[in-house]
Amino acid sequence: MPSDEKNGLSRRQLLQQSAAAAALALTPEVLRAAEKENDILASLSREHPRLIATSNTWQDLKKRRADDALLDGYLKRSEQEARALLNAPAVTYQKQGRRLLSVSRTALRRVLLLGLHFHLTSEAVFVERAKNEMLAAAAFDDWNPSHFLDTAEMTAALAFGYDWLYRQLDEASRQIIKTAIVEKGLKPGMVSDSWKRSENNWNQVCLAGLSLGALAIAESEPELARQTLEKTKTFNVNGLKPYMPDGVYPEGAMYWAYGTTFQTVLLSALQSALGTDWNLGQSPGFLQSAEALLHQLGPTGAYFNFADNVEKPGLEPAMWWFARTLKRPELLRYEMAQMKNYVASTKAPEPGTEANRLLPLAALWWSEPTATKTQLPLNWQGNGPNPLAIFRSDWDDPKAMYLALKGGKATVSHGHMDAGSFILEANGVRWACDLGMQNYHSLESKGISLWDGKQEGQRWQIFRLNNFSHNTLTINKQLHVANGAAIIKEFSAQNKSAVVDLSAVFAGQAAKVTRRFQFAPPEVLITDELEGLKAGDTVRWAMLTKAGIGLNGNEAILTQDGQKLRIQLQSPQPASFESISAEPPNEYDAPNPGYRFLIANFTAPESGKLQFSITLQTA
């Protein structure tokens, strides 16, 4: 007999008792408590503002500026920019090609500036101007959801304005702005959301913009806000995957700034509005990415601008978030220097510009200006879809020698056929360069299928994007294998060396291709080894430069800004340097004035093996 029946309880009685206990436990009070515990809005702040700023933010900012000359200088400069907007016409619906993005970005910049300086000055003119900006955007037929970045940034603009100026806006205006956020932002975001699975900046920007909108109007549209925030909680992990494992953003520095700044906006707004960021900020590699970005800045202050990137950085507000969050003011070493230049500039503010649109948030994330001498490693490797190896002789000497190189593959988001490419700086000069991106509209307006990354896709017919424009190898004038991934198979910080295995990039063209870099200031040695070539195959070594090029057989002397770089070629096969134009072959390609290539061509012998070395040495 079962033991329970020995005690006088049958199985049926036990089941009845369990059911009664369960029913008793699920009282209305218990059900409400459980529902509240699972409600993503349960901890929502009931007060406005709640998007990054709170009711205490403005007074705190006023106190901090009194003790911080640089912060005070920035706020004075940004107030100038806000006042320059007072008489500027509000935004109008004007697309460039398929994008409304510049309009959305202009609105976002304006609303943040005007909102910030209303709270610092209490002048009603800033509220009135911000209201007119938001009402103009609210009157648009749509916010261009077919290119959803445009919708996301406009949603962010109106969300900040609605939240920061909630008590100052009249009821009619609040209703119009809130309705626009719902109908032109959040609802389209429930329909057009393929980007939620994207592992790139689209995921971060779109989810951040919509989450700001949801948090701003949550008390009025709680169910829509819940659905939006649940989507962010579930799918933002996709946008954070590219940082793994070491913080190297595969789209490069410029897109790090775009995706990561919106990611920090999202995390900061979740914390201020809900008291949690659901641990999204702890995603592997994310917090390390600020340091990874610093490694990508050369001593001249220019980026290693691989992929779709620009060479010169702007002020990056996300770095203030990282410095404050990680309690590492040294992360601001470059930003503080740039901020001093920005504050000291006498150039008049430009009404309507979208540049630095999120910079007002840096004031809210501001860290103490105590950046010290950098304690980062001189030699560093970062793995990921676009792995990097970077060497420098000094962090604080603007004339230090700096070598940055990469592996990766072309089919990563915004990628180029630049595996094996490198840049070199020494004596304050960038000697080996990268052309970076070409303006998208300049290509799309001419019918170019810019995003067709298949091996035969039009993307690889664009000069700046294929291997013919990069500091890498080319075999038989062929394209790299677009989906071939180059890895950094060896890296030694102690020996200052790295080896990139390019074999997959040349699949079908060669059996094995490796490129070894040895960093030994005042020189760098690059050794290329190829196997499995056919006799007579040609291999081109190339380096793009803005320097003047003097040739003497297997030696070249580069001159720029009063400095010299000697480049020598060692090879068992006959070879010599040439200098050729960097002007592209197609009318749709952007021109490259001031650039030339230093190249060397090699012919494979019967063995199918080639090995040659290039030494670059400061004179």
Side-chain angles (χ1 to χ4, degrees):
M1 180 181 294
S3 61
D4 291 321
E5 292 188 16
K6 286 181 181 179
N7 294 326
L9 294 174
S10 69
R11 185 177 299 277
R12 175 175 294 180
Q13 288 172 318
L14 286 169
L15 292 173
Q16 288 173 340
Q17 282 189 3
S18 297
L24 182 64
L26 296 177
T27 61
E29 291 78 10
V30 171
L31 287 171
R32 281 195 293 271
E35 182 180 345
K36 184 175 181 180
E37 183 177 345
N38 294 323
D39 182 3
I40 203 166
L41 293 177
S43 59
L44 178 72
S45 170
R46 302 304 171 189
E47 299 294 325
H48 291 280
R50 53 180 174 240
L51 298 183
I52 302 179
T54 66
S55 56
N56 296 325
T57 296
W58 317 117
Q59 288 303 316
D60 178 62
L61 187 54
K62 291 176 184 178
K63 291 177 182 176
R64 285 191 292 119
R65 74 182 298 182
D67 299 321
D68 188 328
L70 187 58
L71 173 59
D72 182 62
Y74 165 66
L75 292 174
K76 287 176 179 176
R77 170 67 193 250
S78 65
E79 183 180 335
Q80 279 185 289
E81 297 185 16
R83 291 191 185 281
L85 297 172
L86 294 177
N87 296 317
V91 288
T92 58
Y93 194 98
Q94 187 172 2
K95 291 170 67 174
Q96 183 182 53
R98 66 191 185 100
R99 295 174 177 81
L100 188 69
L101 192 53
S102 64
V103 176
S104 299
R105 290 173 169 177
T106 295
L108 179 53
R109 172 183 178 267
R110 291 175 172 183
V111 170
L112 284 173
L113 277 172
L114 294 163
L116 172 66
H117 288 288
F118 162 72
H119 285 289
L120 293 178
T121 67
S122 300
E123 294 183 30
V125 289
F126 291 117
V127 176
E128 191 65 21
R129 180 62 186 84
K131 180 180 77 173
N132 291 340
E133 193 76 13
M134 290 188 285
L135 292 177
F140 291 178
D141 289 340
D142 59 50
W143 293 340
N144 200 33
S146 63
H147 189 256
F148 207 83
L149 293 176
D150 314 7
T151 304
E153 293 214 31
M154 191 66 86
T155 303
L158 270 67
F160 274 120
Y162 180 86
D163 178 63
W164 285 13
L165 302 174
Y166 184 87
R167 298 184 183 187
Q168 289 74 39
L169 291 169
D170 59 272
E171 180 61 24
S173 296
R174 273 204 304 267
Q175 287 299 321
I176 292 171
I177 295 165
K178 178 185 71 177
T179 300
I181 292 171
V182 170
E183 299 296 332
K184 297 181 173 72
L186 301 187
K187 287 185 177 179
M190 300 306 297
V191 177
S192 174
D193 65 355
S194 59
W195 33 260
K196 70 185 182 185
R197 299 187 187 278
S198 298
E199 296 181 7
N200 56 38
N201 68 83
W202 275 71
N203 174 286
Q204 299 169 292
V205 176
C206 294
L207 290 175
L210 293 178
S211 297
L212 290 169
L215 292 169
I217 57 85
E219 62 268 54
S220 300
E221 295 282 345
E223 192 52 41
L224 182 58
R226 286 188 185 96
Q227 292 174 16
T228 301
L229 293 168
E230 288 287 359
K231 180 181 292 187
T232 297
K233 186 177 182 180
T234 302
F235 291 104
N236 184 226
V237 292
N238 295 320
L240 288 162
K241 287 179 182 178
Y243 297 93
M244 299 179 185
D246 299 324
V248 178
Y249 201 67
E251 299 179 344
M254 185 183 77
Y255 277 101
W256 177 93
Y258 189 30
T260 305
T261 302
F262 272 89
Q263 186 69 50
T264 58
V265 167
L266 172 61
L267 298 176
S268 188
L270 290 172
Q271 284 286 2
S272 62
L274 299 179
T276 178
D277 67 0
W278 309 315
N279 288 323
L280 291 170
Q282 300 303 312
S283 180
F286 177 69
L287 293 177
Q288 294 97 308
S289 73
E291 183 174 319
L293 185 77
L294 284 183
H295 284 290
Q296 294 167 60
L297 273 170
T300 65
Y303 281 137
F304 179 17
N305 55 323
F306 64 88
D308 280 345
N309 271 286
V310 295
E311 197 174 76
K312 288 293 184 181
L315 282 160
E316 305 298 358
M319 292 299 279
W320 271 271
W321 183 90
F322 281 99
R324 184 167 185 159
T325 300
L326 297 172
K327 297 180 174 56
R328 292 186 60 189
E330 74 273 14
L331 293 176
L332 292 172
R333 65 186 309 277
Y334 182 78
E335 303 308 322
M336 288 298 186
Q338 287 294 97
M339 181 61 79
K340 289 175 184 177
N341 292 337
Y342 182 72
V343 168
S345 173
T346 58
K347 184 179 179 181
E350 299 177 10
T353 182
E354 64 189 51
N356 292 334
R357 62 194 178 283
L358 293 169
L359 190 57
L361 298 177
L364 279 59
W365 295 328
W366 199 271
S367 294
E368 294 296 322
T370 55
T372 59
K373 186 173 182 178
T374 305
Q375 300 298 315
L376 300 173
L378 294 173
N379 308 313
W380 175 85
Q381 179 190 14
N383 285 309
N386 251 337
L388 306 177
I390 294 174
F391 305 88
R392 69 177 77 218
S393 59
D394 193 274
W395 268 102
D396 298 301
D397 181 2
K399 294 187 177 183
M401 181 169 267
Y402 174 83
L403 171 70
L405 59 107
K406 71 180 298 294
K409 61 180 180 179
T411 53
V412 300
S413 180
H414 289 283
H416 289 192
M417 288 181 169
D418 57 4
S421 193
F422 66 96
I423 62 166
L424 177 69
E425 293 183 3
N427 291 334
V429 173
R430 175 159 292 192
W431 298 103
C433 304
D434 191 305
L435 293 170
M437 67 181 294
Q438 180 172 342
N439 177 271
Y440 302 152
H441 180 66
S442 72
L443 294 162
E444 292 171 338
S445 63
K446 295 174 183 174
I448 302 300
S449 184
L450 175 58
W451 309 108
D452 182 359
K454 297 187 295 292
Q455 185 64 39
E456 303 303 324
Q458 270 192 303
R459 182 172 180 82
W460 311 125
Q461 301 307 312
I462 301 164
F463 184 66
R464 290 193 179 190
L465 279 56
N466 61 40
N467 47 287
F468 305 127
S469 71
H470 289 99
N471 304 330
T472 188
L473 301 175
T474 297
I475 298 176
N476 291 332
K477 300 181 180 179
Q478 297 180 78
L479 293 171
H480 284 182
V481 176
N483 205 38
I487 62 170
I488 299 176
K489 71 173 187 177
E490 295 178 26
F491 173 82
S492 173
Q494 182 177 359
N495 296 329
K496 303 177 185 178
S497 64
V499 178
V500 184
D501 186 346
L502 293 160
S503 302
V505 174
F506 293 105
Q509 302 175 37
K512 182 179 179 181
V513 181
T514 60
R515 169 164 270 199
R516 176 179 289 275
F517 294 85
Q518 184 70 54
F519 185 72
E523 71 176 37
V524 169
L525 176 66
I526 304 173
T527 302
D528 292 304
E529 296 184 51
L530 301 93
E531 298 178 13
L533 296 166
K534 298 181 182 66
D537 281 352
T538 60
V539 176
R540 189 188 86 157
W541 185 98
M543 187 182 105
L544 179 76
T545 187
K546 290 187 285 188
I549 301 175
L551 299 176
N552 183 17
N554 67 347
E555 182 176 272
I557 301 294
L558 274 56
T559 56
Q560 187 175 346
D561 298 338
Q563 303 295 325
K564 291 184 179 181
L565 184 76
R566 177 178 289 107
I567 305 180
Q568 293 179 307
L569 164 64
Q570 299 92 37
S571 169
Q573 290 79 25
S576 60
F577 283 125
E578 300 175 49
S579 173
I580 65 171
S581 170
E583 286 309 298
N586 307 301
E587 61 85 21
Y588 54 75
D589 284 315
N592 306 309
Y595 288 95
R596 290 190 69 79
F597 283 105
L598 177 69
I599 67 166
N601 290 302
F602 304 86
T603 301
E606 289 293 330
S607 67
K609 295 182 179 181
L610 274 176
Q611 179 176 330
F612 49 88
S613 297
I614 310 287
T615 303
L616 305 98
Q617 184 178 43
T618 55

